Amino acid sequence: MAEEVLRVSDLNAWYGESHVLHGMSFTVREGEVVTLLGRNGAGRTSTLKAILGLVGRRAGSIVVNGVETIRLPTYRIAHLGVGYCPEERGIFSSLSVEENLTLPPEIAKGGMSVDEIYGMFPNLRERRATAQGTKLSGGEQQMLAMARILRTGARILLLDEITEGLAPVIVQALGRVIVKLKERGFTIVLVEQNFRFAAPLADRHYVVEHGRVAESFTAAELPARTGMLHEYLGV
């Protein structure tokens, strides 16, 4: 069995006085694709932010590659090989595609070269020198946001709603990228509203409700858990 690279145990998190996570616990092994499923407001995005320390306060335990990170600053957690693609993407809109790709620092050894990135995202190769971030389509912006993480050397990728609002052809392209990353041994935690996108990609699923894991099951168990998913997600 692959080595465990992320363990979240009894994680609580707050934004100011708002208590948003209530004992989140789950594990992810190296090379897995794991989804956090749930309705809006269930705590899925807050979980990704809490892993990186991007919440007001957190308590519990988060172990990344064997290192307890609950009291570490965000930059130290990133240097353990964690990359975060936020829902709002966060690219530099005034810079070109290539400038966006060459700007991120290397936080760990093994970051993809720009040429490797263009091989994985052909759309970005076509737009590399001419297009500022503001002139990219939504799908191209999403690809660029993911590509920037791969430049840093991160091997644990936290991806938040990467298909939201995108055309089906772009969603399919992103699915192919996830498959390629998994083949290369990346570990991926995927927050995704589009269950039809996530289901064939993931090894395991966690259903989040009220800031904690309510259910978990493997890809093989999915057919038997459809009724439960309807109950939790309305899918």
Side-chain angles (χ1 to χ4, degrees):
M1 185 176 291
E3 183 180 350
E4 184 180 281
V5 294
L6 175 64
R7 173 175 287 272
V8 175
S9 304
D10 195 25
L11 177 62
N12 286 257
W14 293 261
Y15 295 117
E17 295 300 313
S18 181
H19 192 178
V20 293
L21 298 181
H22 301 266
M24 279 290 297
S25 296
F26 65 94
T27 61
V28 187
R29 293 188 289 272
E30 185 176 16
E32 276 194 311
V33 177
V34 167
T35 64
L36 301 182
L37 305 172
R39 295 187 177 93
N40 287 335
R44 299 167 303 142
T45 293
S46 294
T47 299
L48 299 190
K49 289 183 175 181
I51 290 169
L52 274 168
L54 299 174
V55 293
R57 184 163 61 95
R58 56 189 186 152
S61 173
I62 304 171
V63 178
V64 178
N65 289 322
V67 178
E68 175 58 68
T69 65
I70 197 72
R71 291 182 176 84
L72 294 184
T74 298
Y75 77 91
R76 291 276 306 279
I77 299 168
H79 276 267
L80 292 171
V82 182
Y84 176 43
C85 186
E87 187 176 355
E88 60 273 16
R89 298 167 187 155
I91 63 171
F92 292 98
S93 59
S94 62
L95 301 183
S96 71
V97 166
E98 192 131 312
E99 288 169 336
N100 265 280
L101 290 177
T102 53
L103 193 62
E106 185 177 79
I107 62 168
K109 292 183 178 180
M112 287 189 190
S113 69
V114 172
D115 284 341
E116 284 181 294
I117 293 289
Y118 288 148
M120 190 164 284
F121 298 95
N123 302 55
L124 297 183
R125 184 194 298 274
E126 297 169 11
R127 308 275 274 161
R128 59 184 173 182
T130 56
Q132 290 183 319
T134 50
K135 296 180 180 176
L136 298 174
S137 70
E140 289 166 341
Q141 289 183 28
Q142 187 63 72
M143 290 176 179
L144 182 56
M146 289 180 62
R148 285 192 318 168
I149 301 172
L150 302 176
R151 288 278 294 138
T152 68
R155 300 288 296 178
I156 302 172
L157 310 181
L158 311 179
L159 308 182
D160 192 3
E161 299 283 15
I162 61 171
T163 68
E164 186 174 25
L166 301 183
V169 64
I170 298 296
V171 172
Q172 291 169 6
L174 291 174
R176 291 192 293 271
V177 168
I178 297 290
V179 170
K180 289 178 183 177
L181 292 174
K182 185 177 178 182
E183 289 171 351
R184 294 178 67 144
F186 284 83
T187 303
I188 299 171
V189 180
L190 193 63
V191 165
E192 187 55 64
Q193 200 73 19
N194 184 349
F195 185 67
R196 288 183 179 85
F197 168 78
L201 300 173
D203 299 291
R204 292 187 298 124
H205 305 276
Y206 291 99
V207 179
V208 181
E209 182 90 340
H210 303 306
R212 62 172 64 89
V213 170
E215 299 278 353
S216 64
F217 56 95
T218 66
E221 293 170 329
L222 175 58
R225 308 301 286 271
T226 303
M228 176 271 294
L229 279 175
H230 274 285
E231 182 180 335
Y232 277 104
L233 309 179
V235 298

